[in-house]
Amino acid sequence: FLVLINPKAAPYEGSMDDWRTGSGLNYILTRADYSPDNLLDDTKRVIAARDSTKLLGDYDYKRFSDLYMNSATMRSSEATMFGGQIKYIYIFSLIGGLLLLVACFNYINLTTARSFARSKDVAIRKIIGASKTRLVLIQMSETLFLAVVSLVIALVTVEITLPSINALLDKRLDLDFIGSPQVLWIPIAVLSLVVLISGLYPAFTVSAFSLSSVLRGSSPKSSKAIFRKGLIVMQFLICVGLLSSALIIRGQARHLVDMDLGYNEKNILSLNLTDAGLFDKYQEVRSELERIPQIQKVTGSPLPNLNSMMMMEVENGDEKIDLTCFYGAADADFNELFGLEFIHGNGFEGLTASELKKATIINEAALKRLGWEGNPIGRELIGGRIITGVVKDFHYSSSKNEIGPILIDNRVDEIRRIQFGFRARDKAAVTEQVKQVVAGFGTDKVFELEEIEDFFASSYKREESLVNIFDLLTGLLMVVAFLGLFALSTFENQLREKEMSIRKVLGASYLNLIKVLNKKFSLLILIAILISVPVSYLLINQWLMSFPYRINSVVPYFAVAIGSVLLLSALILGMHSYFNTQKNPANILRNE
């Protein structure tokens, strides 16, 4: 539904005749024959005819159709954002594809190992007339059957787990092949791809067995299997890369959540006067709240979220600087509650009533943008504002956004948020009494008291979902990759049973046998790590660059990932090899 605002009433009346500012977003429907590329130039001409300033640098138009999947639909806060982010679709599609690829590698290795164990059976099939084409079709049909069964199980699993997936994604996805038959191409395409990737190599390997060699008792040598060695390198390259990325993403998300906002945020509640229908009754509400015994301090400020914009021209010698900043109004004593750190001046402290009318506070980012040298206290801005304090940069939005210039005035009639400090144990009692105070003004508005400490928590929900999904997929890939390692180890041990038995008869120790069996795997895993680390660093660093505030170093995360992979590999290979070296050589060699 649409609600018409009254532009002559607060808080809109101040910008009635100001062509440089306005409340809300502007939506323009253009004619079919009009190029949106000309819109900005036309806008500049319209404003230039009605305003003498040159504050046009911050005007921008975006196609609404381009915003939905680019996280650009944010209005007043990230909690109001709708749509999604296409980059996450790409990321998770890539991870899903890699997971599927690793699973195909495992199937190739397992099938190849099983085919070598059945080499005599294949040789006999050839003797009785089976052609190479028939052997390939037999193997491909087995792969197709297993893939179809797996697909059915997968679709059933997706349908069962869809409610949990929707809760995790905060979306409403459904698996409706009847209502959307075009979606069927996805499982069909995946099925075809899996069958081709998984089935072709084992099928041609089986059909290429040498009949005479197999019947003489010779088995294929794994030392020449370059393709299978490449598979294990690929598996662990992907494994190390994704595990490192998952740890770094988790670390970055935690870094954002735990970042110091730059002011006191403990045990402070905020009441949005506009939401409560009391936007013009700041002084009356403050007086009533100060009567509550459990409340230690009451004040008004735009914190924690400044979302109003102001554009101005400021003189710096002969140069005029365009300054666009976030703006808010605060009471004279607001810093007694928040404890912002001043690097110049004292803000509103100790000023007379006439001085407070012109007093304004800026932050380091605004001072840097203005390019002023030395102490700026006493310098004048637009509208007769006099700078009385410069605060150290603090976060007035989530830490995902870079801190920009801000300006805080002491204009009590413009205060829209009232904050109050309380003792931690009194929160429930204070909340109830504040609601009674608001109700005493006769308002029937529905409102919520916001806790400053958790104010930006909703901004990180997308990152929390990202971390949870990434962890889940990475865990699945780790399991699949190490199952592949186990399969390759099994294959290698089977081929080298006779060799190990002879070594054992000749006096080789268990430790020596385990070393001989796993030397090749250890080398392949090390090669995978050496390739994976620089590639993963380049890719994950691109993702980190999108955040203005990042973790200090990614080295510890790579170290943990590499250490985890090496430890798990050593455990799997060591235990599996140990059990194989316990076999009695007589049972293996007596048939030779």
Side-chain angles (χ1 to χ4, degrees), residues 91-100 102 234-250 469-478 481 532-533 535-537 539-540 557-558 561 565:
I91 289 172
F92 292 129
S93 298
L94 176 62
I95 297 173
L98 293 175
L99 180 59
L100 193 65
V102 170
M234 282 295 297
Q235 281 182 314
F236 282 90
L237 187 153
I238 295 169
C239 189
V240 173
L242 278 185
L243 181 57
S244 304
S245 301
L247 293 174
I248 292 170
I249 288 173
R250 176 170 286 279
I469 298 168
F470 214 95
D471 286 349
L472 175 62
L473 293 177
T474 303
L476 286 173
L477 190 136
M478 291 282 288
S532 178
V533 170
V535 173
S536 302
Y537 174 78
L539 294 176
I540 197 66
Y557 302 99
F558 276 108
V565 169

mmCIF file of all heavy atoms in Angstrom, residues 91-100 102 234-250 469-478 481 532-533 535-537 539-540 557-558 561 565:
data_model
loop_
_atom_site.group_PDB
_atom_site.id
_atom_site.type_symbol
_atom_site.label_atom_id
_atom_site.label_comp_id
_atom_site.label_asym_id
_atom_site.label_seq_id
_atom_site.Cartn_x
_atom_site.Cartn_y
_atom_site.Cartn_z
ATOM 1 N N ILE A 91 29.187 -18.331 -5.871
ATOM 2 C CA ILE A 91 30.101 -19.005 -4.940
ATOM 3 C C ILE A 91 29.593 -20.396 -4.589
ATOM 4 O O ILE A 91 30.331 -21.388 -4.665
ATOM 5 C CB ILE A 91 30.286 -18.159 -3.659
ATOM 6 C CG1 ILE A 91 31.111 -16.910 -3.962
ATOM 7 C CG2 ILE A 91 30.977 -18.978 -2.560
ATOM 8 C CD1 ILE A 91 31.177 -15.925 -2.818
ATOM 9 N N PHE A 92 28.302 -20.485 -4.233
ATOM 10 C CA PHE A 92 27.778 -21.782 -3.791
ATOM 11 C C PHE A 92 27.572 -22.733 -4.970
ATOM 12 O O PHE A 92 27.660 -23.943 -4.803
ATOM 13 C CB PHE A 92 26.479 -21.581 -3.012
ATOM 14 C CG PHE A 92 26.698 -20.893 -1.691
ATOM 15 C CD1 PHE A 92 25.955 -19.784 -1.346
ATOM 16 C CD2 PHE A 92 27.659 -21.349 -0.809
ATOM 17 C CE1 PHE A 92 26.166 -19.135 -0.137
ATOM 18 C CE2 PHE A 92 27.877 -20.700 0.378
ATOM 19 C CZ PHE A 92 27.136 -19.597 0.728
ATOM 20 N N SER A 93 27.311 -22.190 -6.137
ATOM 21 C CA SER A 93 27.256 -23.043 -7.328
ATOM 22 C C SER A 93 28.629 -23.642 -7.607
ATOM 23 O O SER A 93 28.754 -24.820 -7.950
ATOM 24 C CB SER A 93 26.775 -22.242 -8.541
ATOM 25 O OG SER A 93 25.473 -21.756 -8.337
ATOM 26 N N LEU A 94 29.663 -22.824 -7.440
ATOM 27 C CA LEU A 94 31.027 -23.309 -7.635
ATOM 28 C C LEU A 94 31.369 -24.397 -6.625
ATOM 29 O O LEU A 94 31.925 -25.445 -6.981
ATOM 30 C CB LEU A 94 32.014 -22.142 -7.514
ATOM 31 C CG LEU A 94 33.495 -22.505 -7.594
ATOM 32 C CD1 LEU A 94 33.837 -23.115 -8.950
ATOM 33 C CD2 LEU A 94 34.374 -21.277 -7.324
ATOM 34 N N ILE A 95 31.009 -24.163 -5.356
ATOM 35 C CA ILE A 95 31.314 -25.158 -4.321
ATOM 36 C C ILE A 95 30.546 -26.445 -4.581
ATOM 37 O O ILE A 95 31.092 -27.553 -4.460
ATOM 38 C CB ILE A 95 30.971 -24.606 -2.919
ATOM 39 C CG1 ILE A 95 31.834 -23.383 -2.604
ATOM 40 C CG2 ILE A 95 31.187 -25.672 -1.853
ATOM 41 C CD1 ILE A 95 31.442 -22.685 -1.337
ATOM 42 N N GLY A 96 29.264 -26.314 -4.969
ATOM 43 C CA GLY A 96 28.477 -27.499 -5.278
ATOM 44 C C GLY A 96 29.068 -28.270 -6.446
ATOM 45 O O GLY A 96 29.136 -29.505 -6.425
ATOM 46 N N GLY A 97 29.534 -27.530 -7.457
ATOM 47 C CA GLY A 97 30.170 -28.179 -8.605
ATOM 48 C C GLY A 97 31.457 -28.894 -8.216
ATOM 49 O O GLY A 97 31.728 -30.011 -8.660
ATOM 50 N N LEU A 98 32.265 -28.253 -7.358
ATOM 51 C CA LEU A 98 33.508 -28.879 -6.894
ATOM 52 C C LEU A 98 33.229 -30.121 -6.060
ATOM 53 O O LEU A 98 33.926 -31.140 -6.177
ATOM 54 C CB LEU A 98 34.335 -27.876 -6.083
ATOM 55 C CG LEU A 98 34.915 -26.686 -6.864
ATOM 56 C CD1 LEU A 98 35.599 -25.715 -5.924
ATOM 57 C CD2 LEU A 98 35.887 -27.164 -7.936
ATOM 58 N N LEU A 99 32.192 -30.044 -5.225
ATOM 59 C CA LEU A 99 31.812 -31.198 -4.410
ATOM 60 C C LEU A 99 31.388 -32.366 -5.300
ATOM 61 O O LEU A 99 31.780 -33.520 -5.068
ATOM 62 C CB LEU A 99 30.669 -30.795 -3.463
ATOM 63 C CG LEU A 99 30.128 -31.857 -2.512
ATOM 64 C CD1 LEU A 99 31.219 -32.383 -1.609
ATOM 65 C CD2 LEU A 99 28.992 -31.282 -1.684
ATOM 66 N N LEU A 100 30.609 -32.062 -6.319
ATOM 67 C CA LEU A 100 30.170 -33.094 -7.263
ATOM 68 C C LEU A 100 31.364 -33.679 -8.016
ATOM 69 O O LEU A 100 31.450 -34.890 -8.243
ATOM 70 C CB LEU A 100 29.163 -32.501 -8.244
ATOM 71 C CG LEU A 100 28.365 -33.483 -9.107
ATOM 72 C CD1 LEU A 100 27.470 -34.344 -8.245
ATOM 73 C CD2 LEU A 100 27.541 -32.723 -10.130
ATOM 74 N N VAL A 102 34.538 -33.830 -6.995
ATOM 75 C CA VAL A 102 35.325 -34.681 -6.095
ATOM 76 C C VAL A 102 34.644 -36.032 -5.910
ATOM 77 O O VAL A 102 35.305 -37.078 -5.872
ATOM 78 C CB VAL A 102 35.539 -33.982 -4.739
ATOM 79 C CG1 VAL A 102 36.139 -34.943 -3.714
ATOM 80 C CG2 VAL A 102 36.452 -32.772 -4.901
ATOM 81 N N MET A 234 44.045 -33.074 -7.430
ATOM 82 C CA MET A 234 42.894 -32.191 -7.593
ATOM 83 C C MET A 234 41.991 -32.224 -6.379
ATOM 84 O O MET A 234 41.498 -31.192 -5.909
ATOM 85 C CB MET A 234 42.107 -32.595 -8.843
ATOM 86 C CG MET A 234 42.729 -32.134 -10.146
ATOM 87 S SD MET A 234 42.740 -30.334 -10.297
ATOM 88 C CE MET A 234 40.987 -29.994 -10.287
ATOM 89 N N GLN A 235 41.753 -33.422 -5.842
ATOM 90 C CA GLN A 235 40.897 -33.559 -4.674
ATOM 91 C C GLN A 235 41.410 -32.732 -3.505
ATOM 92 O O GLN A 235 40.663 -31.983 -2.868
ATOM 93 C CB GLN A 235 40.796 -35.025 -4.260
ATOM 94 C CG GLN A 235 39.831 -35.844 -5.100
ATOM 95 C CD GLN A 235 39.746 -37.274 -4.593
ATOM 96 O OE1 GLN A 235 40.753 -37.905 -4.307
ATOM 97 N NE2 GLN A 235 38.548 -37.781 -4.473
ATOM 98 N N PHE A 236 42.683 -32.864 -3.214
ATOM 99 C CA PHE A 236 43.212 -32.179 -2.038
ATOM 100 C C PHE A 236 43.542 -30.726 -2.316
ATOM 101 O O PHE A 236 43.568 -29.914 -1.388
ATOM 102 C CB PHE A 236 44.419 -32.950 -1.491
ATOM 103 C CG PHE A 236 43.986 -34.146 -0.706
ATOM 104 C CD1 PHE A 236 43.814 -35.368 -1.317
ATOM 105 C CD2 PHE A 236 43.682 -34.033 0.633
ATOM 106 C CE1 PHE A 236 43.368 -36.466 -0.601
ATOM 107 C CE2 PHE A 236 43.238 -35.115 1.354
ATOM 108 C CZ PHE A 236 43.086 -36.344 0.743
ATOM 109 N N LEU A 237 43.745 -30.379 -3.566
ATOM 110 C CA LEU A 237 43.841 -28.967 -3.917
ATOM 111 C C LEU A 237 42.520 -28.267 -3.589
ATOM 112 O O LEU A 237 42.495 -27.201 -2.972
ATOM 113 C CB LEU A 237 44.161 -28.843 -5.401
ATOM 114 C CG LEU A 237 44.475 -27.464 -5.982
ATOM 115 C CD1 LEU A 237 45.368 -27.597 -7.203
ATOM 116 C CD2 LEU A 237 43.213 -26.700 -6.387
ATOM 117 N N ILE A 238 41.414 -28.872 -4.001
ATOM 118 C CA ILE A 238 40.086 -28.323 -3.708
ATOM 119 C C ILE A 238 39.820 -28.342 -2.214
ATOM 120 O O ILE A 238 39.302 -27.372 -1.634
ATOM 121 C CB ILE A 238 39.005 -29.128 -4.459
ATOM 122 C CG1 ILE A 238 39.172 -28.953 -5.975
ATOM 123 C CG2 ILE A 238 37.602 -28.704 -4.036
ATOM 124 C CD1 ILE A 238 38.320 -29.906 -6.801
ATOM 125 N N CYS A 239 40.190 -29.435 -1.565
ATOM 126 C CA CYS A 239 39.921 -29.607 -0.139
ATOM 127 C C CYS A 239 40.630 -28.533 0.690
ATOM 128 O O CYS A 239 40.017 -27.878 1.542
ATOM 129 C CB CYS A 239 40.371 -30.998 0.288
ATOM 130 S SG CYS A 239 39.888 -31.456 1.950
ATOM 131 N N VAL A 240 41.929 -28.346 0.453
ATOM 132 C CA VAL A 240 42.701 -27.345 1.197
ATOM 133 C C VAL A 240 42.181 -25.939 0.899
ATOM 134 O O VAL A 240 42.036 -25.103 1.801
ATOM 135 C CB VAL A 240 44.200 -27.450 0.847
ATOM 136 C CG1 VAL A 240 44.984 -26.299 1.473
ATOM 137 C CG2 VAL A 240 44.761 -28.783 1.328
ATOM 138 N N GLY A 241 41.874 -25.676 -0.372
ATOM 139 C CA GLY A 241 41.383 -24.356 -0.749
ATOM 140 C C GLY A 241 40.073 -23.997 -0.076
ATOM 141 O O GLY A 241 39.917 -22.910 0.474
ATOM 142 N N LEU A 242 39.130 -24.922 -0.093
ATOM 143 C CA LEU A 242 37.826 -24.632 0.509
ATOM 144 C C LEU A 242 37.901 -24.582 2.027
ATOM 145 O O LEU A 242 37.233 -23.757 2.659
ATOM 146 C CB LEU A 242 36.804 -25.677 0.073
ATOM 147 C CG LEU A 242 36.165 -25.454 -1.299
ATOM 148 C CD1 LEU A 242 35.097 -26.483 -1.569
ATOM 149 C CD2 LEU A 242 35.563 -24.059 -1.400
ATOM 150 N N LEU A 243 38.685 -25.451 2.642
ATOM 151 C CA LEU A 243 38.812 -25.413 4.099
ATOM 152 C C LEU A 243 39.456 -24.104 4.536
ATOM 153 O O LEU A 243 38.997 -23.471 5.504
ATOM 154 C CB LEU A 243 39.640 -26.602 4.588
ATOM 155 C CG LEU A 243 39.827 -26.710 6.113
ATOM 156 C CD1 LEU A 243 38.477 -26.775 6.820
ATOM 157 C CD2 LEU A 243 40.672 -27.923 6.467
ATOM 158 N N SER A 244 40.487 -23.665 3.815
ATOM 159 C CA SER A 244 41.111 -22.372 4.132
ATOM 160 C C SER A 244 40.109 -21.237 3.972
ATOM 161 O O SER A 244 40.004 -20.350 4.834
ATOM 162 C CB SER A 244 42.314 -22.129 3.203
ATOM 163 O OG SER A 244 43.244 -23.174 3.288
ATOM 164 N N SER A 245 39.358 -21.264 2.881
ATOM 165 C CA SER A 245 38.370 -20.211 2.624
ATOM 166 C C SER A 245 37.290 -20.189 3.695
ATOM 167 O O SER A 245 36.876 -19.112 4.154
ATOM 168 C CB SER A 245 37.734 -20.410 1.247
ATOM 169 O OG SER A 245 38.715 -20.385 0.231
ATOM 170 N N ALA A 246 36.833 -21.383 4.102
ATOM 171 C CA ALA A 246 35.794 -21.458 5.133
ATOM 172 C C ALA A 246 36.293 -20.868 6.438
ATOM 173 O O ALA A 246 35.568 -20.119 7.128
ATOM 174 C CB ALA A 246 35.370 -22.914 5.339
ATOM 175 N N LEU A 247 37.523 -21.169 6.815
ATOM 176 C CA LEU A 247 38.087 -20.633 8.059
ATOM 177 C C LEU A 247 38.260 -19.121 7.974
ATOM 178 O O LEU A 247 37.985 -18.396 8.940
ATOM 179 C CB LEU A 247 39.428 -21.302 8.357
ATOM 180 C CG LEU A 247 39.370 -22.799 8.696
ATOM 181 C CD1 LEU A 247 40.780 -23.368 8.817
ATOM 182 C CD2 LEU A 247 38.600 -23.043 9.989
ATOM 183 N N ILE A 248 38.710 -18.629 6.809
ATOM 184 C CA ILE A 248 38.905 -17.187 6.649
ATOM 185 C C ILE A 248 37.568 -16.448 6.661
ATOM 186 O O ILE A 248 37.439 -15.386 7.281
ATOM 187 C CB ILE A 248 39.680 -16.902 5.345
ATOM 188 C CG1 ILE A 248 41.114 -17.414 5.469
ATOM 189 C CG2 ILE A 248 39.676 -15.412 5.023
ATOM 190 C CD1 ILE A 248 41.891 -17.394 4.179
ATOM 191 N N ILE A 249 36.556 -17.009 5.997
ATOM 192 C CA ILE A 249 35.226 -16.381 5.999
ATOM 193 C C ILE A 249 34.663 -16.330 7.415
ATOM 194 O O ILE A 249 34.092 -15.313 7.836
ATOM 195 C CB ILE A 249 34.283 -17.148 5.051
ATOM 196 C CG1 ILE A 249 34.667 -16.881 3.599
ATOM 197 C CG2 ILE A 249 32.828 -16.762 5.278
ATOM 198 C CD1 ILE A 249 33.908 -17.702 2.588
ATOM 199 N N ARG A 250 34.820 -17.409 8.159
ATOM 200 C CA ARG A 250 34.360 -17.423 9.552
ATOM 201 C C ARG A 250 35.123 -16.380 10.372
ATOM 202 O O ARG A 250 34.538 -15.660 11.185
ATOM 203 C CB ARG A 250 34.532 -18.814 10.151
ATOM 204 C CG ARG A 250 34.169 -18.914 11.620
ATOM 205 C CD ARG A 250 34.128 -20.342 12.094
ATOM 206 N NE ARG A 250 32.937 -21.015 11.580
ATOM 207 C CZ ARG A 250 31.725 -20.895 12.120
ATOM 208 N NH1 ARG A 250 31.540 -20.087 13.165
ATOM 209 N NH2 ARG A 250 30.703 -21.538 11.622
ATOM 210 N N ILE A 469 26.387 -22.118 5.737
ATOM 211 C CA ILE A 469 26.304 -22.886 4.498
ATOM 212 C C ILE A 469 27.698 -23.303 4.031
ATOM 213 O O ILE A 469 27.917 -24.448 3.618
ATOM 214 C CB ILE A 469 25.598 -22.064 3.403
ATOM 215 C CG1 ILE A 469 24.166 -21.726 3.822
ATOM 216 C CG2 ILE A 469 25.573 -22.829 2.081
ATOM 217 C CD1 ILE A 469 23.498 -20.689 2.952
ATOM 218 N N PHE A 470 28.634 -22.379 4.114
ATOM 219 C CA PHE A 470 30.000 -22.666 3.699
ATOM 220 C C PHE A 470 30.595 -23.778 4.555
ATOM 221 O O PHE A 470 31.291 -24.676 4.055
ATOM 222 C CB PHE A 470 30.844 -21.396 3.811
ATOM 223 C CG PHE A 470 31.901 -21.286 2.757
ATOM 224 C CD1 PHE A 470 31.672 -20.570 1.603
ATOM 225 C CD2 PHE A 470 33.123 -21.911 2.907
ATOM 226 C CE1 PHE A 470 32.635 -20.469 0.614
ATOM 227 C CE2 PHE A 470 34.096 -21.818 1.941
ATOM 228 C CZ PHE A 470 33.854 -21.087 0.789
ATOM 229 N N ASP A 471 30.343 -23.717 5.862
ATOM 230 C CA ASP A 471 30.847 -24.768 6.759
ATOM 231 C C ASP A 471 30.261 -26.127 6.394
ATOM 232 O O ASP A 471 30.973 -27.138 6.376
ATOM 233 C CB ASP A 471 30.489 -24.433 8.213
ATOM 234 C CG ASP A 471 31.352 -23.307 8.765
ATOM 235 O OD1 ASP A 471 32.336 -22.939 8.107
ATOM 236 O OD2 ASP A 471 31.033 -22.802 9.861
ATOM 237 N N LEU A 472 28.957 -26.149 6.114
ATOM 238 C CA LEU A 472 28.289 -27.406 5.781
ATOM 239 C C LEU A 472 28.868 -28.006 4.502
ATOM 240 O O LEU A 472 29.219 -29.200 4.456
ATOM 241 C CB LEU A 472 26.786 -27.161 5.626
ATOM 242 C CG LEU A 472 25.949 -28.365 5.166
ATOM 243 C CD1 LEU A 472 26.021 -29.489 6.180
ATOM 244 C CD2 LEU A 472 24.496 -27.946 4.939
ATOM 245 N N LEU A 473 28.984 -27.185 3.463
ATOM 246 C CA LEU A 473 29.497 -27.685 2.192
ATOM 247 C C LEU A 473 30.964 -28.102 2.307
ATOM 248 O O LEU A 473 31.383 -29.110 1.721
ATOM 249 C CB LEU A 473 29.348 -26.617 1.107
ATOM 250 C CG LEU A 473 27.910 -26.267 0.713
ATOM 251 C CD1 LEU A 473 27.889 -25.140 -0.306
ATOM 252 C CD2 LEU A 473 27.199 -27.481 0.146
ATOM 253 N N THR A 474 31.743 -27.319 3.064
ATOM 254 C CA THR A 474 33.150 -27.673 3.251
ATOM 255 C C THR A 474 33.285 -28.982 4.007
ATOM 256 O O THR A 474 34.132 -29.822 3.682
ATOM 257 C CB THR A 474 33.889 -26.555 3.997
ATOM 258 O OG1 THR A 474 33.750 -25.323 3.274
ATOM 259 C CG2 THR A 474 35.367 -26.878 4.143
ATOM 260 N N GLY A 475 32.445 -29.173 5.043
ATOM 261 C CA GLY A 475 32.467 -30.432 5.781
ATOM 262 C C GLY A 475 32.136 -31.619 4.889
ATOM 263 O O GLY A 475 32.795 -32.668 4.963
ATOM 264 N N LEU A 476 31.111 -31.455 4.040
ATOM 265 C CA LEU A 476 30.753 -32.531 3.110
ATOM 266 C C LEU A 476 31.900 -32.837 2.160
ATOM 267 O O LEU A 476 32.219 -33.999 1.888
ATOM 268 C CB LEU A 476 29.510 -32.129 2.306
ATOM 269 C CG LEU A 476 28.175 -32.151 3.049
ATOM 270 C CD1 LEU A 476 27.083 -31.558 2.164
ATOM 271 C CD2 LEU A 476 27.806 -33.560 3.462
ATOM 272 N N LEU A 477 32.536 -31.777 1.655
ATOM 273 C CA LEU A 477 33.626 -31.993 0.713
ATOM 274 C C LEU A 477 34.811 -32.682 1.391
ATOM 275 O O LEU A 477 35.473 -33.531 0.787
ATOM 276 C CB LEU A 477 34.056 -30.661 0.116
ATOM 277 C CG LEU A 477 35.029 -30.783 -1.056
ATOM 278 C CD1 LEU A 477 34.626 -29.835 -2.173
ATOM 279 C CD2 LEU A 477 36.452 -30.503 -0.639
ATOM 280 N N MET A 478 35.089 -32.318 2.650
ATOM 281 C CA MET A 478 36.180 -32.974 3.384
ATOM 282 C C MET A 478 35.901 -34.462 3.528
ATOM 283 O O MET A 478 36.788 -35.302 3.333
ATOM 284 C CB MET A 478 36.331 -32.329 4.761
ATOM 285 C CG MET A 478 36.858 -30.909 4.736
ATOM 286 S SD MET A 478 38.637 -30.817 4.477
ATOM 287 C CE MET A 478 39.221 -31.409 6.057
ATOM 288 N N ALA A 481 36.329 -36.103 0.127
ATOM 289 C CA ALA A 481 37.728 -36.152 -0.288
ATOM 290 C C ALA A 481 38.501 -37.229 0.466
ATOM 291 O O ALA A 481 39.305 -37.969 -0.125
ATOM 292 C CB ALA A 481 38.383 -34.791 -0.066
ATOM 293 N N SER A 532 47.481 -25.231 -4.044
ATOM 294 C CA SER A 532 46.226 -24.698 -3.521
ATOM 295 C C SER A 532 46.401 -23.389 -2.765
ATOM 296 O O SER A 532 45.578 -22.474 -2.907
ATOM 297 C CB SER A 532 45.564 -25.730 -2.605
ATOM 298 O OG SER A 532 44.372 -25.226 -2.059
ATOM 299 N N VAL A 533 47.457 -23.281 -1.970
ATOM 300 C CA VAL A 533 47.607 -22.112 -1.096
ATOM 301 C C VAL A 533 47.680 -20.805 -1.887
ATOM 302 O O VAL A 533 46.910 -19.869 -1.613
ATOM 303 C CB VAL A 533 48.822 -22.278 -0.171
ATOM 304 C CG1 VAL A 533 49.125 -20.966 0.559
ATOM 305 C CG2 VAL A 533 48.565 -23.386 0.849
ATOM 306 N N VAL A 535 46.731 -20.138 -4.990
ATOM 307 C CA VAL A 535 45.492 -19.935 -5.742
ATOM 308 C C VAL A 535 44.367 -19.500 -4.806
ATOM 309 O O VAL A 535 43.621 -18.549 -5.092
ATOM 310 C CB VAL A 535 45.101 -21.223 -6.497
ATOM 311 C CG1 VAL A 535 43.722 -21.063 -7.148
ATOM 312 C CG2 VAL A 535 46.143 -21.564 -7.550
ATOM 313 N N SER A 536 44.244 -20.179 -3.676
ATOM 314 C CA SER A 536 43.196 -19.840 -2.698
ATOM 315 C C SER A 536 43.402 -18.444 -2.142
ATOM 316 O O SER A 536 42.443 -17.694 -1.937
ATOM 317 C CB SER A 536 43.200 -20.855 -1.551
ATOM 318 O OG SER A 536 42.999 -22.156 -2.035
ATOM 319 N N TYR A 537 44.662 -18.085 -1.906
ATOM 320 C CA TYR A 537 44.955 -16.750 -1.359
ATOM 321 C C TYR A 537 44.487 -15.663 -2.326
ATOM 322 O O TYR A 537 43.867 -14.671 -1.904
ATOM 323 C CB TYR A 537 46.450 -16.610 -1.099
ATOM 324 C CG TYR A 537 46.841 -15.216 -0.668
ATOM 325 C CD1 TYR A 537 46.618 -14.777 0.640
ATOM 326 C CD2 TYR A 537 47.401 -14.314 -1.577
ATOM 327 C CE1 TYR A 537 46.952 -13.489 1.029
ATOM 328 C CE2 TYR A 537 47.726 -13.030 -1.202
ATOM 329 C CZ TYR A 537 47.509 -12.625 0.108
ATOM 330 O OH TYR A 537 47.822 -11.342 0.478
ATOM 331 N N LEU A 539 42.145 -15.815 -4.616
ATOM 332 C CA LEU A 539 40.693 -15.781 -4.725
ATOM 333 C C LEU A 539 40.043 -15.214 -3.465
ATOM 334 O O LEU A 539 39.160 -14.353 -3.540
ATOM 335 C CB LEU A 539 40.157 -17.187 -5.010
ATOM 336 C CG LEU A 539 40.554 -17.776 -6.370
ATOM 337 C CD1 LEU A 539 40.038 -19.200 -6.487
ATOM 338 C CD2 LEU A 539 40.008 -16.928 -7.512
ATOM 339 N N ILE A 540 40.467 -15.690 -2.297
ATOM 340 C CA ILE A 540 39.833 -15.237 -1.050
ATOM 341 C C ILE A 540 40.207 -13.785 -0.753
ATOM 342 O O ILE A 540 39.436 -13.041 -0.142
ATOM 343 C CB ILE A 540 40.222 -16.151 0.139
ATOM 344 C CG1 ILE A 540 39.248 -15.951 1.316
ATOM 345 C CG2 ILE A 540 41.637 -15.891 0.608
ATOM 346 C CD1 ILE A 540 37.838 -16.397 1.028
ATOM 347 N N TYR A 557 44.956 -18.978 9.363
ATOM 348 C CA TYR A 557 43.862 -19.794 8.831
ATOM 349 C C TYR A 557 44.389 -20.834 7.837
ATOM 350 O O TYR A 557 43.940 -21.983 7.837
ATOM 351 C CB TYR A 557 42.816 -18.896 8.175
ATOM 352 C CG TYR A 557 42.241 -17.870 9.127
ATOM 353 C CD1 TYR A 557 42.702 -16.553 9.127
ATOM 354 C CD2 TYR A 557 41.256 -18.222 10.046
ATOM 355 C CE1 TYR A 557 42.183 -15.614 10.012
ATOM 356 C CE2 TYR A 557 40.732 -17.289 10.927
ATOM 357 C CZ TYR A 557 41.206 -15.984 10.906
ATOM 358 O OH TYR A 557 40.702 -15.070 11.783
ATOM 359 N N PHE A 558 45.332 -20.423 7.014
ATOM 360 C CA PHE A 558 45.951 -21.389 6.092
ATOM 361 C C PHE A 558 46.727 -22.448 6.867
ATOM 362 O O PHE A 558 46.720 -23.630 6.495
ATOM 363 C CB PHE A 558 46.880 -20.671 5.106
ATOM 364 C CG PHE A 558 46.168 -20.094 3.919
ATOM 365 C CD1 PHE A 558 45.993 -18.721 3.801
ATOM 366 C CD2 PHE A 558 45.669 -20.912 2.921
ATOM 367 C CE1 PHE A 558 45.331 -18.178 2.706
ATOM 368 C CE2 PHE A 558 45.005 -20.387 1.818
ATOM 369 C CZ PHE A 558 44.838 -19.012 1.716
ATOM 370 N N ALA A 561 44.274 -24.941 8.273
ATOM 371 C CA ALA A 561 43.726 -25.788 7.208
ATOM 372 C C ALA A 561 44.739 -26.838 6.754
ATOM 373 O O ALA A 561 44.413 -28.027 6.638
ATOM 374 C CB ALA A 561 43.303 -24.918 6.024
ATOM 375 N N VAL A 565 44.418 -30.965 7.285
ATOM 376 C CA VAL A 565 44.457 -31.908 6.156
ATOM 377 C C VAL A 565 45.586 -32.915 6.335
ATOM 378 O O VAL A 565 45.407 -34.122 6.127
ATOM 379 C CB VAL A 565 44.603 -31.141 4.831
ATOM 380 C CG1 VAL A 565 44.911 -32.095 3.681
ATOM 381 C CG2 VAL A 565 43.334 -30.357 4.519
#
